[in-house]
Tab-separated table of all heavy atoms in Angstrom:
chain	number	residue	atom	x	y	z
A	394	ASP	N	46.249	11.776	-58.273
A	394	ASP	CA	46.789	10.796	-59.219
A	394	ASP	C	45.857	10.691	-60.417
A	394	ASP	O	44.692	11.094	-60.362
A	394	ASP	CB	46.920	9.419	-58.561
A	394	ASP	CG	47.944	8.523	-59.273
A	394	ASP	OD1	48.490	8.961	-60.305
A	394	ASP	OD2	48.187	7.410	-58.778
A	395	HIS	N	46.398	10.158	-61.514
A	395	HIS	CA	45.634	10.010	-62.753
A	395	HIS	C	46.127	8.751	-63.454
A	395	HIS	O	47.312	8.652	-63.783
A	395	HIS	CB	45.828	11.248	-63.632
A	395	HIS	CG	45.196	11.128	-64.986
A	395	HIS	ND1	45.731	11.726	-66.108
A	395	HIS	CD2	44.087	10.469	-65.383
A	395	HIS	CE1	44.972	11.437	-67.151
A	395	HIS	NE2	43.968	10.677	-66.740
A	396	VAL	N	45.260	7.786	-63.634
A	396	VAL	CA	45.601	6.535	-64.306
A	396	VAL	C	44.612	6.323	-65.444
A	396	VAL	O	43.423	6.092	-65.204
A	396	VAL	CB	45.555	5.335	-63.344
A	396	VAL	CG1	45.930	4.060	-64.083
A	396	VAL	CG2	46.488	5.561	-62.156
A	397	ASN	N	45.108	6.397	-66.668
A	397	ASN	CA	44.255	6.284	-67.854
A	397	ASN	C	43.123	7.296	-67.768
A	397	ASN	O	43.369	8.483	-67.710
A	397	ASN	CB	43.748	4.853	-68.004
A	397	ASN	CG	44.878	3.863	-68.221
A	397	ASN	OD1	45.888	4.207	-68.842
A	397	ASN	ND2	44.733	2.647	-67.707
A	398	ASP	N	41.856	6.818	-67.703
A	398	ASP	CA	40.738	7.750	-67.670
A	398	ASP	C	40.141	7.866	-66.273
A	398	ASP	O	39.013	8.302	-66.102
A	398	ASP	CB	39.641	7.314	-68.653
A	398	ASP	CG	39.096	5.928	-68.324
A	398	ASP	OD1	39.725	5.221	-67.514
A	398	ASP	OD2	38.036	5.566	-68.876
A	399	ALA	N	40.912	7.486	-65.247
A	399	ALA	CA	40.437	7.554	-63.866
A	399	ALA	C	41.291	8.546	-63.076
A	399	ALA	O	42.517	8.608	-63.242
A	399	ALA	CB	40.481	6.177	-63.207
A	400	TYR	N	40.630	9.316	-62.209
A	400	TYR	CA	41.307	10.319	-61.402
A	400	TYR	C	41.114	9.999	-59.923
A	400	TYR	O	39.994	9.734	-59.485
A	400	TYR	CB	40.757	11.716	-61.694
A	400	TYR	CG	41.044	12.208	-63.094
A	400	TYR	CD1	40.236	11.837	-64.165
A	400	TYR	CD2	42.132	13.049	-63.352
A	400	TYR	CE1	40.500	12.287	-65.452
A	400	TYR	CE2	42.399	13.503	-64.635
A	400	TYR	CZ	41.578	13.123	-65.676
A	400	TYR	OH	41.827	13.567	-66.948
A	401	LEU	N	42.213	10.020	-59.165
A	401	LEU	CA	42.152	9.833	-57.721
A	401	LEU	C	42.147	11.200	-57.056
A	401	LEU	O	43.050	12.006	-57.269
A	401	LEU	CB	43.342	9.008	-57.229
A	401	LEU	CG	43.402	8.741	-55.719
A	401	LEU	CD1	42.230	7.866	-55.278
A	401	LEU	CD2	44.729	8.084	-55.346
A	402	LEU	N	41.118	11.454	-56.250
A	402	LEU	CA	40.984	12.728	-55.567
A	402	LEU	C	40.991	12.518	-54.054
A	402	LEU	O	40.683	11.428	-53.560
A	402	LEU	CB	39.686	13.450	-55.963
A	402	LEU	CG	39.662	14.085	-57.352
A	402	LEU	CD1	39.373	13.064	-58.433
A	402	LEU	CD2	38.633	15.203	-57.421
A	403	ARG	N	41.328	13.578	-53.334
A	403	ARG	CA	41.358	13.534	-51.873
A	403	ARG	C	40.616	14.751	-51.320
A	403	ARG	O	40.795	15.868	-51.796
A	403	ARG	CB	42.794	13.531	-51.369
A	403	ARG	CG	42.934	13.595	-49.837
A	403	ARG	CD	44.389	13.511	-49.434
A	403	ARG	NE	45.161	14.596	-50.021
A	403	ARG	CZ	46.454	14.522	-50.312
A	403	ARG	NH1	47.111	13.409	-50.113
A	403	ARG	NH2	47.081	15.564	-50.835
A	404	VAL	N	39.784	14.492	-50.324
A	404	VAL	CA	39.098	15.574	-49.629
A	404	VAL	C	39.306	15.392	-48.133
A	404	VAL	O	39.591	14.289	-47.654
A	404	VAL	CB	37.586	15.614	-49.944
A	404	VAL	CG1	37.344	15.895	-51.411
A	404	VAL	CG2	36.915	14.320	-49.525
A	405	GLN	N	39.164	16.491	-47.401
A	405	GLN	CA	39.243	16.424	-45.939
A	405	GLN	C	38.064	17.186	-45.355
A	405	GLN	O	37.817	18.339	-45.696
A	405	GLN	CB	40.562	17.027	-45.435
A	405	GLN	CG	40.685	17.044	-43.914
A	405	GLN	CD	42.041	17.521	-43.446
A	405	GLN	OE1	43.074	17.050	-43.901
A	405	GLN	NE2	42.043	18.480	-42.530
A	406	TRP	N	37.308	16.482	-44.520
A	406	TRP	CA	36.163	17.116	-43.861
A	406	TRP	C	36.409	17.175	-42.367
A	406	TRP	O	36.917	16.219	-41.779
A	406	TRP	CB	34.880	16.299	-44.096
A	406	TRP	CG	34.393	16.311	-45.504
A	406	TRP	CD1	33.998	17.388	-46.225
A	406	TRP	CD2	34.225	15.185	-46.370
A	406	TRP	NE1	33.607	17.004	-47.490
A	406	TRP	CE2	33.729	15.666	-47.605
A	406	TRP	CE3	34.437	13.811	-46.214
A	406	TRP	CZ2	33.435	14.820	-48.671
A	406	TRP	CZ3	34.158	12.968	-47.270
A	406	TRP	CH2	33.667	13.475	-48.483
A	407	ASN	N	35.999	18.292	-41.740
A	407	ASN	CA	36.002	18.328	-40.290
A	407	ASN	C	34.598	18.012	-39.782
A	407	ASN	O	33.687	17.759	-40.565
A	407	ASN	CB	36.483	19.697	-39.764
A	407	ASN	CG	35.625	20.844	-40.284
A	407	ASN	OD1	34.413	20.697	-40.476
A	407	ASN	ND2	36.243	21.993	-40.526
A	408	ARG	N	34.428	18.021	-38.485
A	408	ARG	CA	33.150	17.630	-37.907
A	408	ARG	C	32.007	18.519	-38.402
A	408	ARG	O	30.900	18.033	-38.677
A	408	ARG	CB	33.249	17.703	-36.387
A	408	ARG	CG	31.941	17.533	-35.654
A	408	ARG	CD	31.364	16.152	-35.825
A	408	ARG	NE	32.195	15.138	-35.207
A	408	ARG	CZ	31.866	13.853	-35.150
A	408	ARG	NH1	30.751	13.429	-35.701
A	408	ARG	NH2	32.660	12.980	-34.573
A	409	ASP	N	32.249	19.807	-38.578
A	409	ASP	CA	31.181	20.724	-38.978
A	409	ASP	C	30.794	20.558	-40.439
A	409	ASP	O	29.631	20.730	-40.801
A	409	ASP	CB	31.603	22.182	-38.715
A	409	ASP	CG	31.786	22.461	-37.234
A	409	ASP	OD1	31.110	21.793	-36.422
A	409	ASP	OD2	32.606	23.328	-36.902
A	410	SER	N	31.772	20.231	-41.281
A	410	SER	CA	31.492	20.167	-42.716
A	410	SER	C	31.119	18.766	-43.186
A	410	SER	O	30.681	18.585	-44.317
A	410	SER	CB	32.708	20.658	-43.510
A	410	SER	OG	33.816	19.796	-43.314
A	411	ALA	N	31.287	17.759	-42.329
A	411	ALA	CA	31.025	16.388	-42.738
A	411	ALA	C	29.542	16.142	-42.948
A	411	ALA	O	28.692	16.728	-42.268
A	411	ALA	CB	31.571	15.413	-41.693
A	412	SER	N	29.216	15.270	-43.890
A	412	SER	CA	27.836	14.847	-44.085
A	412	SER	C	27.421	13.949	-42.930
A	412	SER	O	28.248	13.523	-42.113
A	412	SER	CB	27.695	14.091	-45.408
A	412	SER	OG	28.447	12.887	-45.361
A	413	ALA	N	26.139	13.639	-42.863
A	413	ALA	CA	25.643	12.759	-41.802
A	413	ALA	C	26.326	11.402	-41.860
A	413	ALA	O	26.660	10.807	-40.827
A	413	ALA	CB	24.132	12.609	-41.912
A	414	LEU	N	26.563	10.890	-43.075
A	414	LEU	CA	27.209	9.592	-43.226
A	414	LEU	C	28.621	9.625	-42.676
A	414	LEU	O	29.025	8.762	-41.885
A	414	LEU	CB	27.226	9.173	-44.694
A	414	LEU	CG	28.043	7.912	-45.003
A	414	LEU	CD1	27.376	6.682	-44.412
A	414	LEU	CD2	28.235	7.745	-46.494
A	415	VAL	N	29.400	10.617	-43.074
A	415	VAL	CA	30.785	10.716	-42.624
A	415	VAL	C	30.833	10.943	-41.113
A	415	VAL	O	31.659	10.363	-40.402
A	415	VAL	CB	31.525	11.842	-43.371
A	415	VAL	CG1	32.923	12.036	-42.796
A	415	VAL	CG2	31.618	11.522	-44.858
A	416	GLY	N	29.925	11.766	-40.597
A	416	GLY	CA	29.866	11.990	-39.163
A	416	GLY	C	29.587	10.722	-38.393
A	416	GLY	O	30.187	10.470	-37.338
A	417	SER	N	28.704	9.885	-38.918
A	417	SER	CA	28.393	8.610	-38.253
A	417	SER	C	29.583	7.663	-38.301
A	417	SER	O	29.830	6.914	-37.350
A	417	SER	CB	27.172	7.961	-38.910
A	417	SER	OG	26.010	8.745	-38.715
A	418	LEU	N	30.336	7.674	-39.405
A	418	LEU	CA	31.542	6.854	-39.480
A	418	LEU	C	32.568	7.288	-38.435
A	418	LEU	O	33.323	6.460	-37.913
A	418	LEU	CB	32.163	6.941	-40.873
A	418	LEU	CG	31.438	6.195	-41.996
A	418	LEU	CD1	32.056	6.546	-43.351
A	418	LEU	CD2	31.472	4.694	-41.775
A	419	MET	N	32.589	8.576	-38.122
A	419	MET	CA	33.504	9.083	-37.113
A	419	MET	C	33.062	8.673	-35.707
A	419	MET	O	33.879	8.540	-34.802
A	419	MET	CB	33.610	10.602	-37.211
A	419	MET	CG	34.197	11.112	-38.514
A	419	MET	SD	34.073	12.910	-38.726
A	419	MET	CE	35.262	13.486	-37.516
A	420	ASP	N	31.750	8.474	-35.530
A	420	ASP	CA	31.201	8.213	-34.199
A	420	ASP	C	31.249	6.744	-33.792
A	420	ASP	O	31.292	6.428	-32.606
A	420	ASP	CB	29.750	8.690	-34.119
A	420	ASP	CG	29.628	10.209	-34.182
A	420	ASP	OD1	30.615	10.882	-33.856
A	420	ASP	OD2	28.549	10.701	-34.560
A	421	TRP	N	31.203	5.835	-34.782
A	421	TRP	CA	31.043	4.419	-34.470
A	421	TRP	C	32.186	3.593	-35.038
A	421	TRP	O	32.804	3.978	-36.034
A	421	TRP	CB	29.705	3.906	-35.035
A	421	TRP	CG	28.524	4.614	-34.453
A	421	TRP	CD1	27.891	5.713	-34.966
A	421	TRP	CD2	27.861	4.311	-33.229
A	421	TRP	NE1	26.870	6.102	-34.143
A	421	TRP	CE2	26.824	5.258	-33.063
A	421	TRP	CE3	28.032	3.315	-32.255
A	421	TRP	CZ2	25.972	5.240	-31.965
A	421	TRP	CZ3	27.182	3.289	-31.166
A	421	TRP	CH2	26.173	4.241	-31.026
A	422	ALA	N	32.444	2.452	-34.403
A	422	ALA	CA	33.520	1.544	-34.848
A	422	ALA	C	33.034	0.713	-36.027
A	422	ALA	O	32.838	-0.495	-35.935
A	422	ALA	CB	33.957	0.648	-33.698
A	423	VAL	N	32.828	1.396	-37.152
A	423	VAL	CA	32.330	0.769	-38.370
A	423	VAL	C	33.315	1.060	-39.494
A	423	VAL	O	33.762	2.201	-39.654
A	423	VAL	CB	30.931	1.304	-38.737
A	423	VAL	CG1	30.486	0.792	-40.094
A	423	VAL	CG2	29.917	0.903	-37.672
A	424	THR	N	33.658	0.044	-40.259
A	424	THR	CA	34.607	0.182	-41.366
A	424	THR	C	33.857	0.244	-42.687
A	424	THR	O	33.006	-0.604	-42.953
A	424	THR	CB	35.585	-0.999	-41.395
A	424	THR	OG1	36.295	-1.052	-40.157
A	424	THR	CG2	36.577	-0.862	-42.542
A	425	LEU	N	34.174	1.240	-43.488
A	425	LEU	CA	33.585	1.347	-44.821
A	425	LEU	C	34.344	0.430	-45.763
A	425	LEU	O	35.533	0.612	-46.006
A	425	LEU	CB	33.658	2.790	-45.308
A	425	LEU	CG	33.072	3.074	-46.689
A	425	LEU	CD1	31.572	2.816	-46.703
A	425	LEU	CD2	33.372	4.500	-47.118
A	426	LEU	N	33.667	-0.586	-46.289
A	426	LEU	CA	34.293	-1.535	-47.199
A	426	LEU	C	34.260	-1.054	-48.639
A	426	LEU	O	35.222	-1.239	-49.390
A	426	LEU	CB	33.602	-2.899	-47.101
A	426	LEU	CG	33.677	-3.607	-45.754
A	426	LEU	CD1	32.900	-4.918	-45.806
A	426	LEU	CD2	35.118	-3.856	-45.343
A	427	SER	N	33.152	-0.476	-49.057
A	427	SER	CA	33.056	-0.011	-50.430
A	427	SER	C	31.936	1.008	-50.544
A	427	SER	O	30.998	1.020	-49.745
A	427	SER	CB	32.792	-1.173	-51.402
A	427	SER	OG	31.496	-1.707	-51.203
A	428	ALA	N	32.060	1.843	-51.539
A	428	ALA	CA	31.015	2.820	-51.848
A	428	ALA	C	31.152	3.208	-53.302
A	428	ALA	O	32.240	3.575	-53.753
A	428	ALA	CB	31.137	4.051	-50.959
A	429	VAL	N	30.069	3.094	-54.043
A	429	VAL	CA	30.048	3.460	-55.458
A	429	VAL	C	28.868	4.392	-55.681
A	429	VAL	O	27.745	4.096	-55.251
A	429	VAL	CB	29.923	2.223	-56.369
A	429	VAL	CG1	29.825	2.650	-57.835
A	429	VAL	CG2	31.111	1.287	-56.169
A	430	GLY	N	29.125	5.523	-56.325
A	430	GLY	CA	28.072	6.493	-56.557
A	430	GLY	C	27.963	6.901	-58.011
A	430	GLY	O	28.971	6.990	-58.723
A	431	THR	N	26.731	7.118	-58.452
A	431	THR	CA	26.435	7.706	-59.761
A	431	THR	C	25.371	8.766	-59.536
A	431	THR	O	24.938	9.011	-58.403
A	431	THR	CB	25.922	6.643	-60.755
A	431	THR	OG1	24.635	6.184	-60.323
A	431	THR	CG2	26.892	5.471	-60.851
A	432	CYS	N	24.922	9.370	-60.608
A	432	CYS	CA	23.878	10.383	-60.481
A	432	CYS	C	22.563	9.787	-59.993
A	432	CYS	O	21.662	10.508	-59.560
A	432	CYS	CB	23.674	11.112	-61.806
A	432	CYS	SG	23.139	10.052	-63.168
A	433	ASP	N	22.446	8.457	-60.013
A	433	ASP	CA	21.228	7.785	-59.558
A	433	ASP	C	21.244	7.453	-58.073
A	433	ASP	O	20.238	6.997	-57.525
A	433	ASP	CB	21.007	6.489	-60.350
A	433	ASP	CG	20.758	6.748	-61.828
A	433	ASP	OD1	20.080	7.744	-62.135
A	433	ASP	OD2	21.249	5.965	-62.660
A	434	GLY	N	22.387	7.637	-57.418
A	434	GLY	CA	22.463	7.349	-55.999
A	434	GLY	C	23.740	6.619	-55.631
A	434	GLY	O	24.632	6.432	-56.463
A	435	TRP	N	23.815	6.179	-54.359
A	435	TRP	CA	25.020	5.570	-53.812
A	435	TRP	C	24.736	4.188	-53.261
A	435	TRP	O	23.678	3.951	-52.686
A	435	TRP	CB	25.572	6.433	-52.677
A	435	TRP	CG	26.084	7.768	-53.115
A	435	TRP	CD1	25.350	8.907	-53.306
A	435	TRP	CD2	27.432	8.104	-53.422
A	435	TRP	NE1	26.166	9.927	-53.707
A	435	TRP	CE2	27.452	9.471	-53.778
A	435	TRP	CE3	28.629	7.382	-53.402
A	435	TRP	CZ2	28.631	10.116	-54.129
A	435	TRP	CZ3	29.804	8.030	-53.748
A	435	TRP	CH2	29.796	9.391	-54.114
A	436	ALA	N	25.708	3.277	-53.411
A	436	ALA	CA	25.634	1.945	-52.814
A	436	ALA	C	26.812	1.794	-51.862
A	436	ALA	O	27.971	1.966	-52.273
A	436	ALA	CB	25.677	0.862	-53.887
A	437	PHE	N	26.511	1.479	-50.592
A	437	PHE	CA	27.538	1.386	-49.561
A	437	PHE	C	27.565	0.000	-48.943
A	437	PHE	O	26.544	-0.680	-48.863
A	437	PHE	CB	27.276	2.398	-48.439
A	437	PHE	CG	27.583	3.816	-48.812
A	437	PHE	CD1	26.611	4.618	-49.372
A	437	PHE	CD2	28.838	4.358	-48.590
A	437	PHE	CE1	26.881	5.930	-49.723
A	437	PHE	CE2	29.123	5.661	-48.929
A	437	PHE	CZ	28.141	6.449	-49.504
A	438	GLU	N	28.755	-0.392	-48.471
A	438	GLU	CA	28.908	-1.615	-47.699
A	438	GLU	C	29.808	-1.302	-46.517
A	438	GLU	O	30.896	-0.736	-46.674
A	438	GLU	CB	29.501	-2.731	-48.552
A	438	GLU	CG	29.595	-4.054	-47.825
A	438	GLU	CD	30.033	-5.193	-48.739
A	438	GLU	OE1	30.785	-4.908	-49.687
A	438	GLU	OE2	29.626	-6.339	-48.508
A	439	VAL	N	29.347	-1.649	-45.319
A	439	VAL	CA	30.118	-1.387	-44.106
A	439	VAL	C	30.240	-2.665	-43.296
A	439	VAL	O	29.427	-3.590	-43.430
A	439	VAL	CB	29.457	-0.285	-43.240
A	439	VAL	CG1	29.460	1.046	-43.967
A	439	VAL	CG2	28.045	-0.683	-42.834
A	440	ARG	N	31.254	-2.710	-42.440
A	440	ARG	CA	31.497	-3.877	-41.596
A	440	ARG	C	31.716	-3.424	-40.161
A	440	ARG	O	32.328	-2.379	-39.906
A	440	ARG	CB	32.743	-4.632	-42.071
A	440	ARG	CG	33.079	-5.873	-41.250
A	440	ARG	CD	34.407	-6.452	-41.663
A	440	ARG	NE	35.496	-5.543	-41.324
A	440	ARG	CZ	36.635	-5.461	-42.006
A	440	ARG	NH1	36.830	-6.199	-43.067
A	440	ARG	NH2	37.577	-4.612	-41.634
A	441	SER	N	31.212	-4.225	-39.228
A	441	SER	CA	31.435	-3.950	-37.814
A	441	SER	C	31.720	-5.256	-37.085
A	441	SER	O	31.167	-6.308	-37.428
A	441	SER	CB	30.221	-3.259	-37.186
A	441	SER	OG	30.443	-3.027	-35.806
């Protein structure tokens, strides 16, 4: 999707290709509430 100057993208990772963060989300009953990233790093919020 594309709205004004923002683009919505979709990716699919399997267990082998997932990062440590995504792998941990798959392992535990934790909900990702928000995540914002820039070239300076990432800010995450999770709920359990």
Side-chain angles (χ1 to χ4, degrees):
D394 202 357
H395 174 213
V396 181
N397 297 327
D398 60 347
Y400 294 83
L401 180 65
L402 286 81
R403 176 177 59 208
V404 297
Q405 178 175 310
W406 291 299
N407 58 34
R408 171 66 66 176
D409 295 331
S410 64
S412 65
L414 172 69
V415 174
S417 295
L418 286 172
M419 296 171 71
D420 292 337
W421 299 93
V423 173
T424 301
L425 180 64
L426 297 178
S427 68
V429 177
T431 68
C432 62
D433 296 322
W435 293 84
F437 286 90
E438 184 173 31
V439 295
R440 180 187 67 210
S441 179

